Each structure stands twice: as structure tokens, then as C-alpha cells.
Amino acid sequence: MELDKRHIVLGVTGGIAAYKAAELARELLRAGATVQVVMTQAAARFVTPVTFQALTARPVFCDQWDDRVGNNMAHIELSRAADAILIAPASADFLGKLANGLCDDLLSTLCVARECPLLVAPAMNVQMWSNAAVQRNVARLRDDGVTLLGPASGDQACGETGPGRMLEALELVEELVAFFTPKRLAGRRVVVTAGPTYEPIDPVRGITNRSSGKMGFAVARACRHAGAQVQLVAGPTALPTPAGVTRRDVLTAREMCDATLAACAPACDVFIAVAAVADWQVTNASERKLKKDEVGTTPELAFAENPDILRTVAALPEAPYCVGFAAESEDLQRNGEAKRRRKGVPLLVANIGHQTFGRDDNELLLIDEHGTQPLGRASKDALARTLVAEIARRIGADESASTP
Ligand code: CTP
């Protein structure tokens, strides 16, 4: 799981978004983290400590003078084992305290005494968020190296609309996963194709394939987590866009090719072709729906070969580092290596078995000029992380990467 072995101190301060912090605690646990909740007195007026205690199976601390910690130094002990402190929601008042180093309760003292990174997810009314003093405090916190997560814009509990909403629980978990990922591709531009393509036969019928897009979306997400600027060119799929990724939806192979070439210009460092692109398009597609009684006999389709997107990008004068994917039903290594050479790419990722469409896991084999390297069976997200590390190593981009 993506937050395995991470210990998070979840600080909850007084605001209506405190109700979302209960779900956040749950999602952090689900992602593999251990969670220690610390609340302010005001937070305990919105949600009781018992809720968090039941969810995390740990005592919840609210009081600086709590004598449950052996040496009676809860403000120091609670954060020592933490990989990060996440304050969600962070009220305007609490941001003010943090920006000024005040220590008048357990949570603020804990933050000042910390040795680990501090992330805050502001939540407040839109007017409060735009108040000059709050913005001053936020700017100072950024200068002090505190990571701001959000806020989002939208409907607020008070009935007003605008920036100030706390990010949703899953968005915060996603931000935390990204925060802990080494920035191996920082400053790099990456283009990823994903999903199937669709070749129309008439306005309501077409030829497509069973690709779900999950592997390509996982690769785009992992590149983003690694600090890259990512453009995703997606065939028809209902998957949500990974946070921070720019997405362009396309239908046909030709559209995918045009969108990919546009995304690769003027400069792209890495191109990862995960899409299952249709090899042929229907050249006699009808503008009107084909009607049985009008066609009379069985309709005949004529085909023309689609452009090979990967080969086209790999042949560009200033080609990016190109990575292909391949599903082979037999003789994986020989066919994979032949395909790698045919496409003119340094790295080909072969799916072991072709029943991976739509699944959340996969088994991959890397093929490059030195031979093959199995990545084993794992979730598509985990494989995408490993693949990104392998690509970064091959382009010499991971030397300066650091994990918080
Ligand atoms: N690919 C592409 N454009 C195409 C066909 C394939 O960019 N028109 C890319 C895929 O995204 C993948 C790689 O090429 O990264 C291999 O795709 P695959 O379908 O396995 O290879 P094909 O060239 O279509 O060969 P075949 O289907 O005959 O095995």
C-alpha cells in the first residue's frame, strides 16, 4: 500500500470540515499509514475524540496537560515517531498560530517542537480565506517550508461559494502519497497515451478493444508523483484524471497521433505509449447509421492502416526517451525484443499474459538492449512506480531525488 510504514500525526482543528477528518483518518489507515490523532479543544466541539479513537484504535490527545504520556511531554513524544504532521482541517486561527510560532495548546506546541515535515489543509469561509491577515500568514508558512494542500473552491457549509473548502479525504491521501514520492522526474515533461481507441463504422457503431486505461492512468499518476509535468492523451475511458495531470481525450488512432505529436512539441523528455491503439481504421465508414433493410446484404468494411504513434514519435529529430508497451500471447521475450527494435525504442514493457484488461493488477517484463528484467505481479499503481524509477535511472534523472 502506498502509505505503508508511514506514521502520520493527524491534527484536527476547530471548523465544520472536522467531520471530514474522520473519513480522512479512515482513508489514511486504508492506504497503510498508522495515524495518531491530536485535536484542539475547538475541534472536539465539532467531532468527539471517541470517533477518532474508534477509527484509529489509538488514544486521542487534546490537552497539553494530559498525563497519559509517560514522561508527561506529549508535545514532544507524539511527533517523534511521525513521518509527517498533517493538519486537516487547519482553521484560520490555527494558521495564525503556526505562522507566529505560538504554543498555547498541545497541537500548536507539537508543531513547533516537530522534527518532521508539516502539511496543512486550510478550511474556512471564503471571506476568511481572502482576508489579508490570513493570506499573510499563509505566505509566511510557505516561506517557512510548510506545505499547503488546497484549499479547493466550491460550495461551503456556510452557504457561500469560493475558495476555502478543505480538500476531500481521498484528495488529501493522494497529496500525501505524492509528497512522500522521490522527485525523480522533477522538471521533466512526460507524455503518456492510455486506454483504447475507437474507429467508427457509422455514427453509432465502431471498432474498439478491451483496454480499460488503468495501466496508462497509473503510469501518468506515478510520473506526476515523481515531479514530472504530465500530459495524458486518453482514448475513451471513464477513469478520473489523476490529480495534477493535464488530460486530452481522443477517439480515433489518428486523433491520438495528432494529440500526442502536439503534446510532444516543442519539447518532451519521455514518451510512454501505454494505449492499445487500433491498427486499422475503417475507410468506408458511413455518415448515417447503417440500416439493415437499406444495406440489404452483410456490409463490407474496408480498412487502412493507422499511423504508428510510437514509431512516429521515436523517429522525431529530437525524440524523447520512448517507452512502448506490448501484449504478446506467445514467446514474450523474442517477440518483445523484435517489437522493441521494430519500433526503434530503448525500452519495451511486456504484459505477461493478455488477460490484464480491466484488472487492478498486472505482471510486467522490461526489455531493453541488455536483456529482460521481470517486475513480477503487483498492483498497476505499484508497477507504475517501479517503472518510473527504472525510466528515471535509464535517463540519469534520479540522482538528486530525495524522499521526505
Ligand atoms: N502503438 C502505437 N501506435 C499504433 C500501434 C501501437 O503507438 N498504431 C504502440 C502501443 O501504444 C504500444 C506499442 O506500440 O506501446 C505496441 O503496441 P502493439 O499493439 O503491441 O503492437 P503493434 O505494433 O500493433 O503490433 P502487433 O499488434 O502486430 O503485435
Side-chain angles (χ1 to χ4, degrees):
M1 282 180 290
E2 297 190 294
L3 292 178
D4 262 347
K5 302 199 180 76
R6 298 292 185 184
H7 182 59
I8 309 297
V9 168
L10 174 59
V12 185
T13 73
I16 183 57
Y19 83 93
K20 292 190 193 173
E23 197 194 339
L24 173 59
R26 190 97 175 86
E27 294 298 342
L28 288 169
L29 293 165
R30 219 193 292 269
T34 51
V35 180
Q36 172 62 59
V37 175
V38 178
M39 302 173 79
T40 62
Q41 298 291 341
R45 287 182 169 255
F46 287 92
V47 188
T48 75
V50 176
T51 304
F52 291 102
Q53 183 173 345
L55 290 173
T56 63
R58 281 171 179 262
V60 171
F61 291 84
C62 303
D63 179 9
Q64 198 162 359
W65 311 111
D66 195 316
D67 58 12
R68 282 176 294 172
V69 174
N71 62 6
N72 221 324
M73 295 195 194
H75 63 293
I76 293 174
E77 288 306 309
L78 290 177
S79 75
R80 281 299 173 261
D83 291 296
I85 300 177
L86 169 61
I87 310 291
S91 65
D93 177 65
F94 199 76
L95 293 179
K97 276 187 195 172
L98 282 180
N100 290 285
L102 299 189
C103 312
D104 66 350
D105 64 5
L106 176 60
L107 187 56
S108 53
T109 314
L110 196 73
C111 289
V112 172
R114 76 183 189 279
E115 288 177 327
C116 63
L118 174 61
L119 301 92
V120 297
M124 66 198 73
N125 162 270
V126 53
Q127 299 301 341
M128 293 174 79
W129 175 250
S130 54
N131 181 282
V134 173
Q135 287 303 313
R136 200 165 51 237
N137 289 333
V138 167
R140 185 181 286 189
L141 287 171
R142 278 208 183 92
D143 285 349
D144 289 347
V146 174
T147 301
L148 269 284
L149 306 179
S153 233
D155 291 345
Q156 300 202 309
C158 56
E160 296 185 15
T161 306
R165 276 172 63 98
M166 188 171 90
L167 295 185
E168 299 301 328
L170 282 175
E171 292 174 319
L172 287 172
V173 173
E174 183 73 9
E175 293 284 352
L176 216 53
V177 171
F179 179 80
F180 285 123
T181 306
K183 298 292 172 259
R184 294 185 167 101
L185 294 180
R188 307 289 176 139
R189 289 176 47 129
V190 178
V191 175
V192 180
T193 62
T197 58
Y198 177 92
E199 304 297 332
I201 294 173
D202 70 15
V204 296
R205 303 184 182 91
I207 299 172
T208 186
N209 60 64
R210 290 175 52 213
S211 167
S212 64
K214 283 183 181 174
M215 191 68 229
F217 276 56
V219 167
R221 176 174 178 258
C223 290
R224 175 67 196 148
H225 287 174
Q229 189 187 324
V230 185
Q231 298 202 64
L232 174 62
V233 181
T237 153
L239 295 176
T241 311
V245 166
T246 307
R247 172 175 178 174
R248 169 84 195 277
D249 285 321
V250 295
L251 211 54
T252 65
R254 206 158 268 282
E255 284 172 22
M256 184 173 273
C257 188
D258 291 346
T260 301
L261 289 173
C264 286
C268 164
D269 299 296
V270 180
F271 172 53
I272 312 174
V274 197
V277 186
D279 290 316
W280 298 281
Q281 59 184 286
V282 180
T283 51
N284 59 344
S286 168
E287 303 255 299
R288 293 170 49 234
K289 186 185 171 197
L290 297 173
K291 305 287 284 178
K292 269 198 298 260
D293 44 359
E294 284 174 20
V295 173
T297 55
T298 315
E300 298 230 331
L301 298 179
F303 292 95
E305 201 170 330
N306 271 326
D308 189 317
I309 306 169
L310 180 57
R311 199 146 48 165
T312 308
V313 174
L316 288 173
E318 289 185 34
Y321 183 86
C322 288
V323 182
F325 266 69
E328 298 291 337
S329 53
E330 61 245 10
D331 207 347
L332 201 63
Q333 293 191 10
R334 204 162 53 82
N335 285 339
E337 175 56 16
K339 187 170 282 185
R340 187 185 76 78
R341 286 173 184 276
R342 199 166 63 243
K343 302 268 179 182
V345 300
L347 181 62
L348 190 94
V349 185
N351 291 296
I352 299 181
H354 43 110
Q355 297 305 342
T356 65
F357 288 140
R359 293 177 59 136
D360 289 327
D361 62 346
N362 204 353
E363 191 172 350
L364 299 178
L365 182 74
L366 300 189
I367 303 175
D368 67 8
E369 59 177 339
H370 304 296
T372 58
Q373 179 187 345
L375 296 190
R377 177 160 290 283
S379 72
K380 288 182 176 172
D381 281 326
L383 287 167
R385 275 199 302 278
T386 311
L387 176 62
V388 165
E390 289 293 336
I391 292 171
R393 191 168 61 75
R394 285 170 166 82
I395 64 171
D398 66 346
E399 286 94 19
S400 58
S402 61
T403 317

